[in-house]
Amino acid sequence: MAAVAARLGVAASTLRTWDRRYGLGPSSHEAGSHRRYTPADVARLERMRHLTLQGVAPSDAARAALSSDPAVPLEAHPWPRRLQESAAEEPAHHERLLVDPLSLAAAALEPDAPRVHRMLDQEVRDAGIVKAWTSLAKPALAMLSQRERSDRPGVDPEGVIATAVLTAVREVATAAERARESGVHLLRPGDGPTASASRTALLCAAQDRRLRAHVIGGGLAERGVRARVLRAESLGGPEQGLRTIAERAARVLAVVGNPPGTDELVRAVSARGDVEVFLLGGDAPDLWLPRVHRVRSALAAVEEIAGLMEE
């Protein structure tokens, strides 16, 4: 499982979820040994991952993967027409770039904004937006923060990377929205007219954590969950937070870090009783209340929130 998860760029917990919910698990089993993934199993999982990265809801992507022919190459498969058109609209870059945090930081220092964007785009296509953030952009930003330097007026390497990350998130979210509008996301049995609204997750963050919140929102979009990022400094107290939750018909509130007023907001939302609260980061407040969950990483936040929405 660990090897397959690394190949797909997902967490092992995601593979366990796909196995439990959709039957996309290992099919080979030898007496006295673990179950193992066959090449056909891996091919189906690659199709599942490909579709979720295009914005297809996991349940729909699983049905397509299970009904596909593993022997047919991924690029030759008859995916939904809207997704084919979306892929055709994207600029083709045949040259693969060397992508690592040091190379990204160097490109941002030049500054070579087009190259930075291409590196982010390539990593998002290969591994998804959250992995692109955690394994590429975030380490590059950490390198830049440790460097003693002066910048020419108008040159902001951190800003170049942040802009590229936001652009990548926006493209992921837009692709997911187009997929929903074209009918690729199908309402599940029992879903009512407000089903899509009930899949909304609100992400609350102060300015220093807002980029991370946008990345988590992009990761949720890849999983078919609509997300909105709230400015913590603009909420104006728990009452405004509760009104926003009601207006958005949100099922989840995720607070990134510990912005001012977090304790009061979390207590009010917990007392409401029908919204799950996720506290993200090592500096999150130490609150143990009903419907309040703690997660450390962006990837864990996406997996747990998306898993809750899919239930």
Side-chain angles (χ1 to χ4, degrees):
M1 179 174 288
V4 175
R7 174 170 175 170
L8 296 177
V10 301
S13 60
T14 299
L15 293 185
R16 286 191 287 270
T17 298
W18 289 353
D19 184 8
R20 185 177 69 254
R21 291 183 180 164
Y22 312 121
L24 286 167
S27 58
S28 175
H29 183 270
E30 299 176 3
S33 65
H34 295 292
R35 296 165 66 201
R36 294 187 179 277
Y37 290 91
T38 67
D41 295 332
V42 175
R44 291 189 183 94
L45 287 169
E46 288 176 337
R47 286 172 168 78
M48 173 78 173
R49 181 62 171 155
H50 175 78
L51 287 173
T52 56
L53 287 175
Q54 293 284 350
V56 179
S59 58
D60 299 331
R63 283 195 291 271
L66 287 169
S67 63
S68 65
D69 182 354
V72 177
L74 186 65
E75 61 274 9
H77 232 279
W79 302 119
R81 180 180 185 130
R82 179 59 238 173
L83 296 184
Q84 293 179 1
E85 292 172 354
S86 296
E89 293 168 2
E90 296 178 359
H93 295 300
H94 301 291
E95 173 199 358
R96 283 191 63 83
L97 302 174
L98 173 63
V99 175
D100 58 58
L102 182 59
S103 299
L104 185 68
L109 278 167
E110 289 186 20
D112 187 347
R115 189 173 185 84
V116 170
H117 282 263
R118 285 185 57 196
M119 292 172 75
L120 259 297
D121 289 345
Q122 179 176 304
E123 190 69 8
V124 170
R125 288 195 301 271
D126 288 350
I129 187 65
V130 178
K131 284 281 189 178
W133 165 253
T134 57
S135 64
L136 182 62
K138 186 178 178 182
L141 289 170
M143 290 179 182
L144 292 172
S145 69
Q146 296 167 5
R147 182 183 177 90
E148 293 185 4
R149 69 175 197 277
S150 59
D151 296 319
R152 301 192 307 276
V155 176
D156 180 9
E158 291 90 347
V160 172
I161 292 178
T163 299
V165 170
L166 288 173
T167 299
V169 169
R170 186 165 61 251
E171 290 174 350
V172 165
T174 299
E177 191 66 32
R178 285 177 177 173
R180 282 193 295 267
E181 291 174 354
S182 65
V184 173
H185 170 68
L186 304 177
L187 291 180
R188 296 166 294 176
D191 283 348
T194 61
S196 60
S198 67
R199 291 173 58 79
T200 299
L202 299 179
L203 305 167
C204 179
Q207 184 174 2
D208 61 335
R209 302 295 179 86
R210 203 116 67 216
L211 186 58
R212 187 184 185 197
H214 281 283
V215 169
I216 294 169
L220 290 171
E222 288 178 341
R223 296 290 298 273
V225 177
R226 181 182 287 107
R228 292 293 182 270
V229 177
L230 304 178
R231 297 169 180 261
E233 60 272 20
S234 301
L235 277 182
E239 295 81 9
Q240 178 60 44
L242 291 175
R243 283 196 297 271
T244 302
I245 288 172
E247 291 168 358
R248 293 284 184 180
R251 188 177 176 188
V252 165
L253 172 69
V255 182
V256 184
N258 191 5
T262 297
D263 283 34
E264 295 81 359
L265 176 61
V266 171
R267 291 181 189 279
V269 176
S270 175
R272 174 180 161 127
D274 61 348
V275 175
E276 302 294 327
V277 179
F278 288 82
L279 302 178
L280 283 64
D283 59 340
D286 192 18
L287 296 173
W288 302 94
L289 298 167
R291 294 181 176 271
V292 175
H293 317 268
R294 297 175 65 90
V295 289
R296 291 279 182 172
S297 68
L299 183 59
V302 169
E303 297 299 335
E304 293 196 25
I305 294 172
L308 174 70
M309 292 292 204
E310 292 169 10
E311 292 178 355

